[in-house]
Amino acid sequence: MSNLIAITLLPYAIVIGLLVGVYYAFMALGLNLVFGVVRMINLSHGDIVMLGSYLAYYLLIYYSIKEGISFIIAFPVFFLLGVLIYLAFVPKLKSSSDPEMNSFTAFFGLSLAIEAISFMVFGNYYHAIPTSALLGGAFNLFGFKTPNVYLAITLLSAIILIITYFYLNKTMLGKATKALMQNQEQAISFGINPKWVTLITFAYGFGVAGMAGVIGPYILGTIYPSMGDFITILAFTIVIIGALGNPLSTIIGGIVFGIFYQLLQVYLSGLSLAITFLALLAIIVIKPGGILGGVQREV
Amino acid sequence: MKFDKNYLAAIIISIIMILVAFIGPKIYSNEAFFFNIIILTTVALGLNIIYGLTGYLPFGYMVFFGMGAYGVYIGIRLGLMPIEAFVFGFILDLVLALVLLPLFRLKSHYFAIATLAAFEGIYYLVQSPDLSKFTNGALGASLVTIYNPNLTYIIATVFLVFVILLTSWIKSSRFGLSLRAIRDSVISAYLDGVNVPITRGTAWIISAMIASVAGALYGWYSSFFYPETVFALTLGVYIIAFVLFGGLGTIIGPIIGTVILYSIYQYFNISYTYYVQLFFGILLILLILFLPGGIAQIIKKFFKRSMP
């Protein structure tokens, strides 16, 4: 790459990184909400996102339902799925000998199962959703033709992030959730019923993950049954750049990651994933609670 | 030397495994199947040391397996003799294991995900076109020049026996007792005077080195492999299922688990890949939720005896 192109690409990469970063924050939000209330890493998070993409694809192809409407339909669908998964997994895991480690394995098992069923139901094919299903056209950004769909995705992601912000900060249920995430024992002693709050937030996390899946294909690439593994670890990277257990810090995590990753892809594409994961490793070792989080270490 | 049932069990299992390794291929003429059983049993026992005996789950454990295989390849590519290349791969893995030691300061789920990050990082590094000068990137590594399946088969069997005996020694030694103390509670282990960092660090290095040697032998035997064949995350998770199924922290458990579940995997995987994946997914969930002790737990319940 010549120096001139490399330099003119810089502002473009930063702006695109910023736009996509808002989506990344939204995509990772569910993982952090779930972690915040049950202290379990939902390794099937990426598979929920994948199912959201398939929901959008099938609604569009078979029922001609536009992306914008699927986006809304996805929430109750995946909220219900979240309730079912919560009831099947969480109470049993909470009472096991090491909930954190065991939940890791159990949710990976769930991820394997969802992926396998998806292969059987959707087939071993790549699917794509045409951009025009959400928003066609393109605009000019620093001399580069950029599809309008980026703006639409950023806008939709921002709306959900803002709603989540108001939910957590302005409603009683949201405040109870935040209290529970910060100090479980104290929250309970103030009369918060942890079961309901946990269940609703857990399911809400699944709901927004499914919604992120609906508009995901434009950012994450073609739809494929095993795309979930990569999305999970991407979401985890974003969450840990912010702070684990603090959903709103995910916004910063998403934007930082979006710009960082875009720059890597422009300037060091061959090593972008290796650097991303080794950076994640370094962050976990130095600040396990995330860059913006407190320190969570054992002896 | 104290002679308890652990040693007796280990010797009997070793003899059975030797018989299986050398008579098996004469009955069912698929030597590669038996070789895979030997290698995966070794890996399962290696994982058992850090997961079953010490209580830490390294989700990206297969990184050592992959590095072991690629270490040999990189060594050969740099012009080393075969033996030197093996030592080179071993040292690469040793360095990696030492670099990852600080991960033990993390809580258990952070530990699991940090090893996963290490796995992904190294995997993408090996697969990257920018480093293909050393690794040949995604095009795969060939060890045809030193291909010697008969010798590899014998070495792998000997190594498996060594790992079985090593596990039984650990289980009945003071070192193993310290590991068990750490598994039950790190804080009480400290209070009881166990040097926690040194003890679990040693277990970690032993565990990592077992996977490293197994990976090197696997690479040598198959003589050609892609990054994703040796950095096999899903297979690594299946190995967690093998260990859990047989019984965490026992000697027989990981072996029985591997032999039974790998046979199922091998038999069905080609025509029913997704059913196998579904089976392992559900098996993992059920084991964790309802039978965390695996077969060993059933034996303990019905025969009132603990499995060695």
Side-chain angles (χ1 to χ4, degrees):
Chain A
M1 194 190 303
S2 75
N3 277 337
L4 191 66
I5 296 174
I7 291 164
T8 50
L9 266 173
L10 184 65
Y12 175 78
I14 290 175
V15 172
I16 288 291
L18 188 74
L19 290 177
V20 176
V22 178
Y23 171 75
Y24 280 140
F26 167 45
M27 189 271 279
L29 179 69
L31 182 73
N32 212 1
L33 282 168
V34 169
F35 182 84
V37 282
V38 292
R39 298 280 139 186
M40 292 172 187
I41 294 165
N42 175 16
L43 282 182
S44 67
H45 177 79
D47 301 287
I48 304 300
V49 174
M50 176 268 292
L51 289 177
S53 300
Y54 271 106
L55 180 79
Y57 176 81
Y58 279 98
L59 286 180
L60 181 70
I61 300 298
Y62 290 102
Y63 303 99
S64 311
I65 294 173
K66 292 268 182 172
E67 284 270 274
I69 298 163
S70 318
F71 189 66
I72 297 164
I73 296 175
F75 184 77
V77 171
F78 289 98
F79 188 90
L80 270 180
L81 183 65
V83 171
L84 294 178
I85 290 175
Y86 179 91
L87 295 176
F89 280 75
V90 176
K92 195 85 192 168
L93 281 171
K94 281 271 180 201
S95 62
S96 72
S97 58
D98 186 347
E100 288 165 350
M101 195 166 76
N102 288 342
S103 64
F104 211 84
T105 318
F107 279 108
F108 198 93
L110 179 65
S111 165
L112 282 178
I114 294 178
E115 201 181 291
I117 294 171
S118 303
F119 268 116
M120 293 180 214
V121 175
F122 308 129
N124 188 359
Y125 310 108
Y126 289 92
H127 293 287
I129 298 178
T131 332
S132 54
L134 187 58
L135 184 63
F139 66 104
N140 193 323
L141 180 67
F142 302 116
F144 295 96
K145 203 177 153 201
T146 314
N148 281 337
V149 75
Y150 277 124
L151 296 175
I153 284 173
T154 308
L155 186 69
L156 288 175
S157 310
I159 291 172
I160 302 298
L161 289 170
I162 291 166
I163 291 175
T164 309
Y165 176 82
F166 276 103
Y167 165 66
L168 287 176
N169 285 300
K170 305 289 175 197
T171 65
M172 272 318 279
L173 196 62
K175 285 180 189 168
T177 311
K178 265 182 84 174
L180 208 62
M181 286 179 182
Q182 276 156 14
N183 191 331
Q184 194 141 7
E185 278 153 28
Q186 222 168 50
I188 293 166
S189 73
F190 274 96
I192 292 169
N193 184 345
K195 266 187 198 148
W196 280 106
V197 175
T198 308
L199 172 62
I200 290 168
T201 312
F202 187 94
Y204 183 90
F206 275 70
V208 289
M211 290 175 101
V214 171
I215 54 170
Y218 303 120
I219 308 284
L220 303 167
T222 46
I223 313 169
Y224 190 65
S226 62
M227 69 197 265
D229 302 343
F230 183 70
I231 295 174
T232 304
I233 192 147
L234 212 60
F236 189 80
T237 312
I238 293 156
V239 166
I240 205 120
I241 291 174
L244 259 170
N246 176 358
L248 297 173
S249 71
T250 309
I251 299 171
I252 296 164
I255 291 171
V256 170
F257 176 79
I259 295 171
F260 173 74
Y261 192 63
Q262 203 68 37
L263 291 176
L264 273 179
Q265 284 195 322
V266 171
Y267 297 104
L268 266 173
S269 63
L271 290 169
S272 60
L273 288 170
I275 293 174
T276 303
F277 291 124
L278 294 175
L280 169 64
L281 177 65
I283 296 171
I284 301 173
V285 173
I286 297 162
K287 288 211 76 178
I291 291 181
L292 301 170
V295 178
Q296 296 206 10
R297 277 199 182 136
E298 243 181 17
V299 268
Chain B
M1 189 175 79
K2 196 170 83 224
F3 199 86
D4 63 13
K5 70 169 186 171
N6 271 332
Y7 288 113
L8 189 64
I11 290 166
I12 294 171
I13 301 163
S14 301
I15 293 168
I16 293 173
M17 288 313 281
I18 293 170
L19 291 176
V20 168
F22 290 103
I23 296 174
K26 294 199 170 57
I27 299 163
Y28 173 57
S29 59
N30 181 352
E31 201 190 70
F33 169 73
F34 288 96
F35 182 78
N36 286 346
I37 290 252
I38 293 166
I39 288 293
L40 293 177
T41 311
T42 313
V43 178
L45 283 166
L47 179 67
N48 188 39
I49 291 174
I50 194 70
Y51 180 32
L53 295 177
T54 323
Y56 288 84
L57 173 61
F59 223 69
Y61 183 57
M62 290 299 270
V63 69
F64 297 111
F65 190 84
M67 276 278 272
Y70 262 94
V72 178
Y73 174 73
I74 295 169
I76 295 284
R77 209 167 154 122
L78 292 173
L80 298 178
M81 298 292 292
I83 302 275
E84 290 168 355
F86 275 91
V87 175
F88 177 73
F90 193 78
I91 291 171
L92 272 185
D93 257 331
L94 187 63
V95 171
L96 181 67
L98 289 171
V99 167
L100 294 180
L101 266 182
L103 296 186
F104 280 98
R105 292 183 308 181
L106 305 172
K107 282 182 155 187
S108 56
H109 53 305
Y110 289 105
F111 177 81
I113 202 125
T115 57
L116 187 58
F119 173 91
E120 297 282 355
I122 302 279
Y123 165 67
Y124 284 109
L125 212 55
V126 166
Q127 200 225 44
S128 161
D130 293 10
L131 294 177
S132 59
K133 211 170 89 187
F134 303 104
T135 60
N136 208 21
L139 298 176
S142 168
L143 287 172
V144 181
T145 45
I146 56 166
Y147 182 58
N148 191 344
N150 293 332
L151 181 61
T152 329
Y153 196 90
I154 294 167
I155 296 177
T157 312
V158 172
F159 186 65
L160 171 62
V161 170
F162 166 74
V163 172
I164 293 172
L165 297 176
L166 180 71
T167 308
S168 78
W169 172 79
I170 290 176
K171 267 179 76 83
S172 41
S173 70
R174 203 185 149 77
F175 173 60
L177 198 64
S178 309
L179 292 182
R180 234 169 301 157
I182 292 172
R183 184 184 64 188
D184 293 341
S185 162
V186 177
I187 294 166
S188 353
Y190 264 118
L191 294 176
D192 289 338
V194 174
N195 188 337
V196 174
I198 297 276
T199 313
R200 74 182 167 198
T202 312
W204 172 239
I205 304 266
I206 293 174
S207 200
M209 290 303 108
I210 290 172
S212 172
V213 174
L217 289 169
Y218 180 83
W220 190 13
Y221 184 84
S222 44
S223 82
F224 181 80
F225 48 87
Y226 291 104
E228 61 269 25
T229 349
V230 287
F231 287 95
L233 184 62
T234 310
L235 185 62
V237 178
Y238 290 174
I239 293 172
I240 296 174
F242 298 168
V243 177
L244 272 170
F245 180 76
L248 270 179
T250 62
I251 307 171
I252 301 181
I255 299 174
I256 293 181
T258 309
V259 171
I260 295 178
L261 293 181
Y262 183 73
S263 304
I264 294 175
Y265 172 84
Q266 172 74 17
Y267 190 77
F268 292 106
N269 195 37
I270 294 164
S271 7
Y272 304 98
T273 316
Y274 306 131
Y275 289 92
V276 169
Q277 189 178 339
L278 183 63
F279 167 76
F280 274 100
I282 293 173
L283 181 73
L284 270 175
I285 298 170
L286 294 180
L287 283 173
I288 287 286
L289 293 183
F290 301 106
L291 198 67
I295 291 176
Q297 191 183 340
I298 298 176
I299 290 177
K300 199 167 186 174
K301 195 172 170 190
F302 289 103
F303 298 94
K304 308 269 183 270
R305 296 180 65 159
S306 61
M307 197 161 94

